[in-house]
């Protein structure tokens, strides 16, 4: 069995061959920390967590390095800081926003069962690497200084007579068409209308650092160069996998490739480019104006994180997902059942029937179908396979207790009613015992009698 992955650049699924099997390297674009993460943001987190776990299974935990950055310098952060903390100096307000949002992001993704990446670099801690890349690009003739900005020229890149990739190859666009179709109100300091910002001057009060390329004024980096710098620092000039949502292919990833390949004279930045499809909610695009904007934190108030995780993985990562209440309810039922039968079982090796579809470009819907198959045949393989996928982090008792707590059912009261019912049955008062059973059912509690006594569970 070999791992096969779909590469956005070459548009094909091909066998995964790590550049170094002792150090398999993956970079995924992380959040810009200015607001609560929504359920769409959870998709790359969960998808690439499954890939991280699978790579660790194949190559060993010590041989996989997963880097997911935190973008903590951005105009959206500055705007949010000024809006939410008008009394504070901007830099302090920005710290409040990024610290608070970063902590919330961690709480959310921990609850989704996502392992922390090996490294979580912050953009503000990698400014010198960004400056270094920018200096190389200017020296190589790919970037230029204009009015205290540094701009990258895709046209210079494509004119270079070398083994560089073609600008536009990743997103399958032609630079000539981009030039022809570009907006007319391009900033006057840009030489070409597709040139993009590597560095820009900071306004008074905004975060700022000494500028590269001989610019006297202080400034700050553009978004795209942040990822090129962090990936370089932690994974090198060329690594195995780069991931993110499909919306990042253009311009963000196209520009990352351009910066990294031109700075280091490389043909490729990553060997495999992987992109998750988009998520919509109840068949509509999620947006604040439509009022269907779902944040992870709010969902976690109603559902265990593993239910959200399973619900995400029921769809293949490259397909769009329609996130619905109905599907969530089904996922919750499935997990209740798996917890009941497998959480306390001795986990065996993950089953081949689960691994095979995972190795085929992370076919999680097929892997989940195989889990349903194991439910009737091999509980220990079911337990081992579920753990590989990041499920069963709790015991069956913890899971049930949490469900009771979330449902607002008073466990003591339930136990009291059950012993009253047991007493009624003992004295053959079946009217009374039926009355209590109905009462419990009305409270959302199902009971089951066996030789060992009466057990109960909360129905969702
Ligand atoms: P952002 O903070 O908007 O840069 O997004 C962080 C990550 O979430 C990126 O990988 C995006 O591609 C991804 N993402 C954002 N919205 C969605 C969505 N609706 N569905 C799937 N992925 C998304
Ligand atoms: Zn990025």
């Amino acid at each position: 069995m070999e791992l096969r992955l779909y590469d956005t650049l070459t548009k094909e699924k091909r066998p995964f061959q790590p550049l170094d099997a002792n150090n398999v390297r993956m970079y995924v674009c992380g959040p810009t920390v200015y607001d609560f993460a929504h359920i769409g943001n959870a998709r790359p987190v969960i998808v690439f967590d499954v890939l991280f776990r699978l790579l660790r299974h194949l190559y060993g935990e010590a041989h996989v390095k997963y880097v997911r950055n935190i973008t903590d310098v951005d105009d959206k952060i500055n705007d949010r800081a000024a809006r939410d903390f008008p009394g504070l100096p901007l830099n302090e307000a920005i710290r409040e926003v990024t610290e608070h949002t970063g902590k919330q992001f961690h709480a959310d993704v921990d609850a989704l069962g996502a392992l922390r990446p090996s490294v979580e670099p912050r953009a503000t801690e990698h400014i010198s690497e960004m400056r270094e890349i920018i200096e190389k690009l200017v020296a190589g003739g790919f970037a230029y200084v204009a009015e205290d900005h540094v701009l990258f020229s895709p046209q210079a890149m494509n004119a270079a007579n070398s083994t560089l990739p073609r600008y536009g190859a990743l997103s399958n666009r032609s630079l000539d068409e981009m030039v022809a179709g570009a907006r007319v109100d391009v900033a006057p300091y840009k030489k070409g209308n597709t040139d993009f910002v590597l560095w820009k001057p900071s306004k008074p009060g905004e975060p700022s650092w000494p500028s590269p390329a001989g610019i006297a004024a202080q400034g700050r980096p553009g978004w795209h160069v942040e990822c090129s710098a962090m990936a370089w620092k932690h994974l090198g000039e060329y690594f195995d996998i780069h991931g993110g949502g499909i919306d990042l292919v253009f311009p963000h990833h196209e520009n990352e490739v351009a910066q990294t390949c031109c700075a280091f004279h490389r043909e490729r930045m990553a060997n495999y480019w992987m992109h998750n499809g988009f998520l919509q909610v109840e068949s509509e695009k999620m947006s604040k104006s439509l009022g269907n904007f779902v944040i992870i934190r709010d969902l976690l108030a109603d559902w265990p994180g593993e239910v959200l995780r399973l619900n995400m993985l029921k769809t293949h990562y490259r397909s769009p997902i329609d996130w619905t209440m109905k599907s969530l309810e089904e996922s919750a039922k499935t997990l209740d059942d798996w917890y009941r039968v497998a959480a306390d079982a001795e986990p065996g090796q993950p089953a081949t029937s689960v691994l095979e579809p995972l190795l085929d470009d992370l076919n999680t819907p097929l892997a989940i179908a195989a889990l349903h198959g194991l439910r009737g045949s091999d509980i220990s393989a079911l337990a081992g396979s579920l753990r590989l996928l990041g499920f069963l982090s709790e015991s069956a008792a913890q899971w049930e207790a949490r469900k009771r707590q979330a449902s607002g059912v008073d466990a003591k009261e339930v136990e009291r009613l059950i012993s009253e019912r047991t007493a009624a049955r003992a004295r053959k008062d079946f009217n009374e015992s039926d009355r209590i059973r109905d009462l419990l059912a009305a409270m959302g509690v199902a009971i089951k009698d066996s030789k060992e006594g009466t057990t109960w569970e909360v129905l969702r």
Side-chain angles (χ1 to χ4, degrees):
M1 286 194 290
E2 61 175 5
L3 175 60
R4 294 165 64 79
L5 297 174
Y6 182 87
D7 178 11
T8 307
L9 177 64
T10 56
K11 296 177 210 60
E12 60 178 359
K13 226 194 283 188
R14 58 172 204 278
F16 175 71
Q17 261 141 17
L19 298 169
D20 172 2
N22 286 316
N23 185 20
V24 180
R25 289 161 290 164
M26 170 163 82
Y27 185 94
V28 174
C29 295
T32 303
V33 283
Y34 69 100
D35 205 348
F36 291 113
H38 58 69
I39 190 61
N41 302 137
R43 192 164 191 198
V45 169
I46 294 172
V47 163
F48 291 103
D49 179 65
V50 169
L51 181 55
F52 183 36
R53 288 170 185 269
L54 186 62
L55 291 170
R56 282 157 51 111
H57 179 78
L58 296 173
Y59 297 97
E61 287 186 14
H63 302 299
V64 183
K65 188 168 181 187
Y66 172 23
V67 179
R68 185 183 63 214
N69 70 292
I70 290 180
T71 295
D72 59 354
V73 43
D74 187 274
D75 288 340
K76 290 193 284 273
I77 299 176
N78 302 347
D79 295 347
R80 184 57 62 104
R83 189 195 83 180
D84 289 358
F85 301 94
L88 287 182
L90 188 58
N91 278 314
E92 274 175 48
I94 286 170
R95 195 167 332 117
E96 290 286 337
V97 169
T98 56
E99 269 183 20
H100 180 77
T101 315
K103 277 196 189 129
Q104 181 65 49
F105 178 74
H106 278 149
D108 289 347
V109 301
D110 288 352
L112 295 172
L115 300 172
R116 292 284 179 96
S118 324
V119 188
E120 260 191 316
R122 287 174 176 269
T124 50
E125 288 164 8
H126 294 76
I127 303 289
S128 65
E129 286 83 359
M130 296 173 205
R131 268 199 305 258
E132 225 177 302
I133 289 181
I134 293 170
E135 296 283 5
K136 286 180 196 292
L137 292 173
V138 172
F142 301 105
Y144 60 93
V145 175
E147 294 184 21
D148 291 345
H149 293 68
V150 185
L151 294 143
F152 184 96
S153 164
Q155 280 163 304
M157 174 180 175
N158 279 8
N161 185 13
S162 68
T163 54
L164 292 173
R166 179 178 61 77
Y167 185 87
L170 181 69
S171 54
N172 205 15
R173 290 162 194 238
S174 117
L175 184 56
D176 289 345
E177 278 168 27
M178 284 187 244
V179 170
R183 297 186 347 213
V184 278
D185 57 338
V186 176
Y189 49 78
K190 289 192 182 178
K191 288 186 194 166
N193 57 11
T194 58
D195 298 353
F196 62 88
V197 168
L198 298 171
W199 190 266
K200 56 190 163 187
S202 298
K203 297 191 194 83
E206 280 181 349
S208 66
W209 292 268
S211 296
I215 298 169
Q218 297 248 78
R220 60 205 167 103
W223 173 37
H224 313 303
V225 80
E226 297 178 10
C227 284
S228 281
M230 289 183 270
W232 171 44
K233 171 76 186 284
H234 297 283
L235 298 177
E237 298 172 4
Y238 176 42
F239 49 92
D240 295 292
I241 299 169
H242 193 315
I246 189 84
D247 57 319
L248 299 186
V249 175
F250 189 85
H252 185 53
H253 289 166
E254 192 70 62
N255 291 352
E256 278 189 41
V257 173
Q259 294 157 164
T260 298
C261 291
C262 290
F264 303 114
H265 309 289
R266 289 272 181 186
E267 215 169 323
R268 299 199 60 151
M269 176 183 186
N271 231 349
Y272 298 79
W273 282 89
M274 295 179 66
H275 294 98
N276 64 268
F278 243 47
L279 174 148
Q280 51 173 18
V281 171
E282 306 285 356
S283 306
E284 283 192 86
K285 185 179 183 316
M286 184 164 45
S287 85
K288 285 199 168 133
S289 55
L290 284 174
N292 64 349
F293 198 82
V294 186
I295 64 172
I296 302 173
R297 190 188 65 163
D298 286 350
L299 279 170
L300 286 170
D302 294 334
W303 309 93
E306 288 187 21
V307 169
L308 309 184
R309 184 180 179 89
L310 175 62
N311 205 49
M312 199 69 87
L313 295 176
K314 287 199 301 201
T315 305
H316 187 265
Y317 77 92
R318 284 195 280 123
S319 305
I321 286 196
D322 189 20
W323 188 265
T324 66
M325 189 56 86
K326 182 165 173 287
S327 171
L328 269 172
E329 281 161 2
E330 284 163 10
S331 301
K333 278 205 191 101
T334 303
L335 264 171
D336 281 347
D337 177 59
W338 285 343
Y339 259 93
R340 224 174 0 249
V341 301
D344 298 340
E346 187 64 38
Q349 283 300 314
T352 311
S353 61
V354 175
L355 269 175
E356 262 176 356
L358 288 179
L359 292 171
D360 181 16
D361 194 33
L362 299 186
N363 192 334
T364 53
L366 258 190
I368 290 168
L371 292 171
H372 287 298
L374 293 172
R375 163 71 172 83
S377 61
D378 188 344
I379 295 298
S380 119
L382 173 64
S385 308
L386 282 168
R387 283 172 199 278
L388 172 70
L389 283 164
F391 295 105
L392 304 187
S393 61
E394 298 178 355
S395 68
Q398 282 170 323
W399 181 264
E400 193 53 38
R402 214 140 70 87
K403 206 164 91 177
R404 285 174 190 173
Q405 214 180 6
S407 68
V409 168
D410 178 348
K412 274 214 183 93
E413 175 66 2
V414 172
E415 301 287 351
R416 192 185 64 75
L417 287 167
I418 287 178
S419 43
E420 266 187 26
R421 175 171 168 274
T422 308
R425 271 156 56 102
R427 59 174 195 271
K428 301 218 161 31
D429 183 352
F430 295 113
N431 277 341
E432 177 62 1
S433 75
D434 284 353
R435 189 190 67 83
I436 295 174
R437 176 190 282 269
D438 293 347
L439 185 63
L440 285 165
M443 289 162 62
V445 171
I447 54 179
K448 208 160 141 194
D449 299 313
S450 73
K451 279 198 282 293
E452 284 76 41
T454 303
T455 55
W456 63 280
E457 66 164 329
V458 176
L459 300 167
R460 285 191 199 273

